[in-house]
Amino acid sequence: MVHCILAACLSTTMNLFGIVGVFSGGLIEMSSLNFIPLMTSHWKQYLLLLVIGLVYTGIWFVVFRFLIVKFDFKTPGREDTDETKFYSKAEFRAKQAGGQEMDKKTMLAALTTSWT
């Protein structure tokens, strides 16, 4: 919800400054639809777009850092578990088999039936 509010404020700010265009699909789409064909006549707006984008990047960082630190939101890498266990192939196969030993053909059959 916070991201939606910040995105709406960013879009409103850009519209208030007269910056319009397609800015939702990534760098290649923005470049092919906005920057490349219109750079000679609208370079000032694109420079302003860069400044507004950098300012909002800072705002996004401050807001989400505050929310993560204040409310202790769990993000990837900040889980409660202290240790991550890496399993070997043999341990993984044994776990998949339910602790039973299987030959290669049986294991292949079990894996292919679980895909469908």
Side-chain angles (χ1 to χ4, degrees):
M1 175 144 163
V2 175
H3 172 70
C4 296
I5 293 170
L6 288 173
C9 290
L10 173 62
S11 296
T12 303
T13 303
M14 286 189 354
N15 201 347
L16 288 174
F17 279 98
I19 300 171
V20 295
V22 179
F23 298 108
S24 61
L27 186 61
I28 293 174
E29 183 180 6
M30 287 189 308
S31 297
S32 63
L33 295 177
N34 298 318
F35 301 146
I36 295 171
L38 302 172
M39 186 59 81
T40 56
S41 59
H42 295 291
W43 65 272
K44 292 177 188 173
Q45 283 85 2
Y46 295 139
L47 187 60
L48 186 59
L49 170 79
L50 181 65
V51 171
I52 292 172
L54 290 174
V55 168
Y56 268 89
T57 300
I59 292 171
W60 244 283
F61 175 78
V62 169
V63 167
F64 278 99
R65 179 161 168 39
F66 170 77
L67 291 174
I68 289 169
V69 170
K70 178 73 174 176
F71 299 111
D72 195 30
F73 288 141
K74 298 302 177 200
T75 56
R78 297 186 63 243
E79 294 88 6
D80 287 332
T81 59
D82 293 334
E83 186 176 322
T84 302
K85 170 121 173 74
F86 293 103
Y87 294 98
S88 68
K89 283 185 181 181
E91 290 172 331
F92 173 75
R93 288 179 180 153
K95 183 179 176 185
Q96 290 295 99
Q100 301 171 1
E101 286 294 321
M102 288 196 296
D103 62 282
K104 288 183 181 181
K105 290 182 181 179
T106 309
M107 186 180 306
L108 181 62
L111 288 174
T112 53
T113 56
S114 65
W115 289 345
T116 56

